[in-house]
Amino acid sequence: MRTSLEVADIFRAAGPAYRASHAGHLSLHQLKVMSAIEHCRTAVMGGHVEACTDCGHWRIAYNSCRNRHCPRCQGAAARAWLAEREADLLPVGYFHVVFTLPAEIADLAFHNKALVYDLLFKAASETMLTIAADPKHLGARIGITAVLHTWGAALTHHPHIHMIVPGGGIARDGTRWISSRPAFLLPVKVLGKLFRRLFLTRLIALHAAGRLAFFGALGHLTDRRAFLRHLSPVRKKNWIVYAKPPFAGPQAVLAYLSRYTHRVAISNSRLLAFDEAGVTMRYKDYRRAGADRQQVMTLATDEFIRRFLLHVLPRGFHRIRHYGLLAGATRKGHLEHARQLLGVAAPPDDAHDEPTDVRPPCPCCGGHMVVIETFERWRQPRAPPHAAESTGTTAP
């Protein structure tokens, strides 16, 4: 039986009061996310009854909400996504590159999420592809998997892009594979300058087209001169692009992807307590080193919910995107070409044909569990089968 604290517990206890006190200030999409998380794996979602084929033990399994913001639902989604990505890996080193927006731009993004997040993806990916293609640097077409995160360690609004990039690419004439240096992909200062120019040029164009919205303390930025003054300090800042050393092999790449691609703003494992004082949680303070990096903080419950909802993505927004050699319909052909140039065989096509049974084994004997009954939303299963009763087993 589950005993740990979950975001769903906080939403179920404090969500109704929060929605009432913020009526008219929450979007329909935010309300739907709250509802999905509150009802995840409860009778509201429907479910099924499983029974062990060996000992007859039975248990109820409620359906998941499958909402991409739900901390409970991302594990299965990540496993399925990773199974597909495993076949895309090349036998080269992979780099981890991070593009971060300055705080002044993050403030603008809050009320323009779809536009600014999309611009972040486009500017960061174009920066990487442009500098990599430059003969002064790598001189090759590279592949990129990019993931958007919008949060800092303490659930603050901190939009940034994580990328994994193979250490090399296909030469412009397509005749050879060009490898990067063992511990160096591209110069981060050059990347930062081009990223800043591309992003600001296009952000100003969005403003000129009247596509940006401003509210509250930022309402005055509808005026073009005020907007340009707001951006003036940002033009002089160094926009930080961070590149980590390459991963230690393909399995390390997959481990990284499993941590980042389907992560939500906060995992249930970071929650420590929920009481009259608020929500107590663990977080990392990156200004500290060693053991002091792990810190604990308590937020008022309303503030915790507010910060969580900051990171609800616009409906239909893709937070994982692929570029260059890994983009869209051309991905398969580019990967085949890359493997030919590297002199390696393609992975077998049937590597993931067999479906995996994700049902946990029987907790009593380790036997195989099968579905014996399904029930619709808002309904409860019937009484346990007589065979199960005779064994003395009970539902969890």
Side-chain angles (χ1 to χ4, degrees):
M1 181 178 293
R2 179 182 64 83
T3 58
S4 58
L5 177 63
E6 297 190 352
V7 172
D9 300 321
I10 299 168
F11 278 11
R12 280 192 283 266
Y18 185 87
R19 287 188 288 268
S21 62
H22 294 82
H25 297 282
L26 298 176
S27 69
L28 177 61
H29 191 42
Q30 287 175 319
L31 293 172
K32 287 183 175 180
V33 168
M34 290 188 72
S35 177
I37 293 174
E38 289 175 32
H39 295 142
C40 185
R41 301 186 192 185
T42 68
V44 173
M45 305 301 297
H48 60 268
V49 180
E50 300 172 351
C52 178
T53 57
D54 294 329
C55 70
H57 174 82
W58 68 280
R59 66 185 173 208
I60 299 171
Y62 294 115
N63 292 334
S64 302
C65 67
R66 297 187 180 182
N67 190 285
R68 61 176 171 172
H69 301 93
C70 176
R72 296 193 74 183
C73 290
Q74 296 312 299
R79 286 190 294 271
W81 189 86
L82 287 171
E84 298 175 0
R85 298 285 81 73
E86 187 172 6
D88 294 348
L89 292 178
L90 298 171
V92 299
Y94 278 75
F95 289 81
H96 176 194
V97 184
V98 184
F99 286 80
T100 302
L101 289 179
E104 296 87 343
I105 303 296
D107 291 341
L108 304 180
F110 179 70
H111 293 294
N112 300 277
K113 290 182 178 180
L115 286 171
V116 177
Y117 293 167
D118 185 63
L119 178 53
L120 172 57
F121 267 115
K122 290 178 178 177
S125 61
E126 185 174 334
T127 295
M128 288 292 293
L129 295 172
T130 300
I131 301 302
D134 190 335
K136 293 187 297 183
H137 300 293
L138 189 62
R141 189 179 188 198
I142 60 173
I144 300 169
T145 295
V147 184
L148 172 69
H149 284 184
T150 63
W151 54 86
L155 287 181
T156 52
H157 190 228
H158 178 62
H160 55 286
I161 294 280
H162 291 270
M163 292 181 173
I164 62 161
V165 186
I170 298 176
R172 290 186 294 176
D173 60 7
T175 60
R176 61 195 177 99
W177 176 269
I178 300 177
S179 295
S180 67
R181 284 183 266 168
F184 179 84
L185 181 62
L186 296 168
V188 291
K189 289 186 177 180
V190 175
L191 292 172
K193 289 180 179 178
L194 180 57
F195 176 50
R196 178 181 62 191
R197 178 167 63 82
L198 290 176
F199 189 95
L200 290 179
T201 299
R202 294 173 185 178
L203 184 67
I204 292 171
L206 288 173
H207 186 277
R211 299 184 62 189
L212 299 178
F214 303 98
F215 303 95
L218 298 179
H220 66 288
L221 296 184
T222 53
D223 179 74
R224 178 176 174 79
R225 288 177 296 180
F227 183 71
L228 294 177
R229 284 196 300 271
H230 181 80
L231 296 183
S232 181
V234 182
R235 292 176 182 273
K236 302 170 186 176
K237 278 186 175 182
N238 291 326
W239 285 36
I240 303 301
V241 178
Y242 177 65
K244 289 185 178 180
F247 297 97
Q251 293 306 314
V253 177
L254 289 176
Y256 164 81
L257 283 171
S258 68
R259 291 196 303 270
Y260 280 85
T261 53
H262 291 74
R263 181 179 288 183
V264 297
I266 185 170
S267 62
N268 289 325
S269 61
R270 288 175 53 196
L271 300 175
L272 300 178
F274 172 45
D275 50 31
E276 296 80 3
V279 180
T280 303
M281 64 181 189
R282 291 185 293 107
Y283 75 101
K284 289 182 180 179
D285 186 345
Y286 289 96
R287 296 168 297 183
R288 301 171 184 258
D292 289 340
R293 177 164 287 186
Q294 289 288 346
Q295 297 288 313
V296 174
M297 70 183 305
T298 299
L299 294 173
T301 303
D302 272 20
E303 177 61 11
F304 174 84
I305 296 176
R306 185 193 73 83
R307 291 194 189 188
F308 186 95
L309 295 179
L310 285 177
H311 310 292
V312 171
L313 293 175
R315 187 175 181 85
F317 189 89
H318 294 281
R319 67 178 178 186
I320 307 174
R321 304 186 186 187
H322 308 279
Y323 300 93
L325 301 181
L326 301 177
T330 61
R331 173 186 58 84
K332 186 175 181 181
H334 284 144
L335 288 172
E336 289 177 355
H337 187 195
R339 290 191 180 98
Q340 290 173 2
L341 297 175
L342 289 164
V344 297
D349 292 335
D350 59 351
H352 301 291
D353 284 351
E354 291 297 325
T356 301
D357 189 349
V358 297
R359 283 189 293 271
C362 174
C364 293
C365 68
H368 181 62
M369 303 292 286
V370 296
V371 176
I372 61 172
E373 179 192 350
T374 60
F375 51 95
E376 301 298 325
R377 290 170 175 257
W378 297 97
R379 294 181 181 272
Q380 292 284 357
R382 293 172 296 177
H386 294 295
E389 288 179 347
S390 64
T391 65
T393 59
T394 57

